[in-house]
Amino acid sequence: MGPVIEQNDTAERPPIWSDAGELSAMMELAARTYPTVLSARASERAANAGLKGARWQRFPSVSVEALGTATGSSKTDYSLTVEGPLWTGGRISGTIKLSRAQVSAAKSGVEEAQLDVSLRVVAAYFDFQRLLQRETILEEGLAEHQKLVGSMERRVAVELSPLSDLELARSRAAQVAQELAVTGGQRRIALNRLRELTGDPALRVSSVLRYDPVKHHPVAESMLEDVLAFDPKRRRLQAEILVADADVQIRKSAILPQLNAQYQKPMFGSDRLGIVLRAQTDGGLSRFSAVSVAQERRAAAEIAIQSNERELRETVDADLLENAVARERASSSTLSAKSAQAVTDSFMRQFVAGRRTWFDVMNAVRESMTARLGEVDARVSAMASATRLMLRSGRWTAIAVEREAQ
């Protein structure tokens, strides 16, 4: 499903269900409308226009010259010249190759911009998901703390507990309320980021993704190879090497003379048809220096690919490590949360029996809530890192997270 549109942002909580189609719709919308993508598409159109212009260089050029004299005569001399290339030393073919490579680089640039904005959407989306689920836990924790405050108020009223126990309960409840307010503000900031990325000021997230220990831990085998093959930035840099190669060819051809066929029709005299040999220099031996410049640019493009490959390896290794650690954290946090809840229930019974202090009870409640928050962080970390890996490797599909009704 696509993003849900509302008139304004309300405090209404989204239904608990999972749909990767919502995230896909947001990424698609951002990849279609975000300014950097639009700019990249404009560059692609310009590159295509440049390729058409380069192909026209194979055709003859036509020039008309007219001369009006200032000697009192009303006559005007004119001449028509048609000149077509016969041999250019590779300048025209090099220009076409350069334009084709620029088109390829521009297409990869569009894909690079789309991937970049999609990754930003993923970051904001899973940040929202994490904060949303933390907010739910904090709301439940605040309700539990308020129940404890009410219970302690009754015990203090009948002088079964000291006032300090009530102050402790109120202090812990205030801390949870403060944390809840901060989390709610961060969630709204994440939502605003999503709205800016998609260009939809009324966008609302309507799903809560659920962690699957099988689906959210992709196989690491061949992951790096897939990322290197899919990465649009790498393909753009490879196209820029082709651009540099073509530029070297063009610079070398500029050193050589050019052979053209020429037809000239003057106003007076007979028509002329012949072959023109044209050779020229620009500022001494500057054209030889231009070849060296183009060759160094090609070397720089090759180094840029090596740098990009190292960055990709670092990024993929970090995501794979985060995903693996998240698996362990999620598993241990689930056990910890269950154990902490059992300890809390036990401490409450022991407190009533006089075998535990109120401080022990409050610590147990806090530890139970902290364990649940850690479980949420680990699960969302696993989902986010898995999604980034799927995107970078080109494996992403709208069914990467199955729909699970709760």
Side-chain angles (χ1 to χ4, degrees):
M1 62 169 289
V4 175
I5 305 302
E6 288 188 337
Q7 294 300 319
N8 49 50
D9 180 25
T10 67
E12 181 183 356
R13 306 308 298 273
I16 308 298
W17 61 306
S18 174
D19 185 4
E22 179 178 68
L23 176 57
S24 293
M26 291 182 183
M27 288 192 291
E28 189 276 333
L29 181 59
R32 190 177 68 249
T33 62
Y34 200 68
T36 55
V37 178
L38 298 179
S39 175
R41 289 197 181 279
S43 297
E44 182 184 10
R45 291 192 296 270
N48 282 313
L51 177 58
K52 293 179 181 178
R55 287 171 175 164
W56 277 109
Q57 292 186 19
R58 292 170 171 167
F59 292 82
S61 61
V62 179
S63 64
V64 177
E65 295 183 5
L67 175 63
T69 62
T71 59
S73 173
S74 61
K75 293 182 179 180
T76 301
D77 293 336
Y78 75 89
S79 65
L80 171 67
T81 303
V82 179
E83 188 169 299
L86 295 178
W87 184 79
T88 62
R91 179 180 58 82
I92 294 178
S93 61
T95 302
I96 294 174
K97 288 179 182 178
L98 183 142
S99 298
R100 284 175 178 166
Q102 288 176 334
V103 169
S104 179
K107 288 181 179 179
S108 297
V110 172
E111 296 173 0
E112 181 183 358
Q114 290 175 331
L115 177 60
D116 178 70
V117 73
S118 294
L119 288 169
R120 293 174 64 184
V121 169
V122 166
Y125 184 79
F126 281 103
D127 195 26
F128 180 92
Q129 291 285 339
R130 180 182 64 85
L131 294 166
L132 177 65
Q133 295 182 44
R134 285 179 66 93
E135 199 173 9
T136 299
I137 294 172
L138 289 170
E139 287 176 350
E140 295 173 355
L142 180 59
E144 183 67 22
H145 278 77
Q146 289 173 341
K147 286 173 57 179
L148 294 176
V149 169
S151 174
M152 186 52 61
E153 285 176 343
R154 292 190 293 271
R155 292 179 65 88
V156 171
V158 296
E159 299 182 351
L160 288 177
S161 296
L163 182 61
S164 59
D165 286 350
L166 176 58
E167 294 299 329
L168 175 62
R170 287 173 175 171
S171 174
R172 293 292 179 85
Q175 291 175 10
V176 175
Q178 182 180 22
E179 191 172 352
L180 175 61
V182 171
T183 302
Q186 292 174 339
R187 176 181 60 82
R188 288 188 289 273
I189 290 173
L191 179 60
N192 287 336
R193 288 207 306 271
L194 282 173
R195 289 173 172 174
E196 290 298 327
L197 288 167
T198 59
D200 184 355
L203 180 139
R204 175 176 174 261
V205 178
S206 64
S207 301
V208 176
L209 299 182
R210 292 305 178 190
Y211 169 71
D212 188 316
V214 176
K215 297 183 178 67
H216 292 131
H217 297 284
V219 179
E221 184 179 357
S222 77
M223 179 63 72
L224 179 60
E225 290 77 8
D226 291 346
V227 170
L228 290 174
F230 176 77
D231 183 49
K233 181 178 180 180
R234 180 180 177 83
R235 285 184 273 119
R236 177 178 61 80
L237 292 174
Q238 289 172 337
E240 289 182 358
I241 288 183
L242 299 179
V243 170
D245 285 336
D247 190 32
V248 171
Q249 178 180 340
I250 294 171
R251 301 294 183 180
K252 288 182 177 179
S253 68
I255 300 173
L256 302 174
Q258 180 175 335
L259 193 64
N260 294 340
Q262 187 183 85
Y263 166 77
Q264 191 173 56
K265 180 178 178 57
M267 181 175 179
F268 302 101
S270 59
D271 296 355
R272 293 186 298 178
L273 178 63
I275 296 176
V276 177
L277 181 65
R278 180 176 294 118
Q280 66 184 62
T281 61
D282 295 330
L285 301 178
S286 61
R287 294 193 178 188
F288 290 92
S289 299
V291 173
S292 299
V293 171
Q295 290 172 336
E296 292 301 326
R297 286 176 179 169
R298 188 193 187 285
E302 290 181 339
I303 295 173
I305 286 186
Q306 297 174 9
S307 175
N308 178 65
E309 182 174 338
R310 291 190 181 187
E311 291 175 1
L312 285 176
R313 289 180 183 276
E314 181 182 353
T315 300
V316 171
D317 288 344
D319 281 341
L320 287 173
L321 180 59
E322 178 183 341
N323 192 260
V325 171
R327 182 200 294 270
E328 301 300 325
R329 286 178 57 203
S331 177
S332 60
S333 296
T334 299
L335 295 176
S336 176
K338 292 180 179 179
S339 299
Q341 185 58 49
V343 169
T344 299
D345 296 339
S346 175
F347 276 23
M348 283 295 296
R349 292 191 296 269
Q350 293 181 53
F351 172 74
V352 174
R355 293 197 298 267
R356 288 288 177 181
T357 66
W358 186 244
F359 185 76
D360 293 334
V361 173
M362 297 302 298
N363 283 344
V365 172
R366 180 67 183 182
E367 288 176 4
S368 176
M369 185 179 66
T370 301
R372 292 180 63 194
L373 292 173
E375 182 182 21
V376 165
D377 290 345
R379 291 183 170 187
V380 174
S381 175
M383 291 190 287
S385 58
T387 303
R388 291 196 301 270
L389 287 168
M390 300 295 277
L391 273 175
R392 292 185 185 278
S393 63
R395 302 179 185 179
W396 170 262
T397 63
I399 60 173
V401 183
E402 298 288 346
R403 181 177 299 173
E404 302 168 0
Q406 177 173 332

